[in-house]
Amino acid sequence: MKTKSKSEAQKLAKAYSFNKEYADVPVYIIYCSRTEKYYVDTNGLIRLWEKLICYYVNGVYTSEK
């Protein structure tokens, strides 16, 4: 989910944590400086960004090309 403010993102993350479907799944709040928006998602969004943007590859920072 995409939100404009940090407080909205925190509310969404809390809602995810109360959902039984995501009982043992970590929920992340990610800030994107390019779009100036907060994203709330499980691990899937982080892995997608690692592959698309190539800033992080398997959790290790790589510089821009």
Side-chain angles (χ1 to χ4, degrees):
M1 285 298 234
K2 181 172 31 173
T3 63
K4 292 183 180 182
S5 69
K6 188 175 182 179
S7 61
E8 288 179 28
Q10 289 174 341
K11 288 177 186 177
L12 274 173
K14 189 173 183 179
Y16 267 115
S17 68
F18 286 136
N19 190 346
K20 291 181 181 180
E21 185 177 327
Y22 299 103
D24 292 329
V25 178
V27 178
Y28 296 96
I29 298 174
I30 305 164
Y31 177 74
C32 180
S33 61
R34 291 182 181 166
T35 60
E36 297 182 354
K37 297 197 186 260
Y38 290 89
Y39 295 87
V40 178
D41 199 11
T42 58
N43 202 11
L45 181 63
I46 291 176
R47 295 292 176 223
L48 180 64
W49 279 6
E50 284 181 355
K51 292 176 184 174
L52 291 176
I53 300 173
C54 297
Y55 290 162
Y56 288 89
V57 178
N58 295 326
V60 179
Y61 180 77
T62 58
S63 60
E64 291 184 19
K65 293 181 180 178

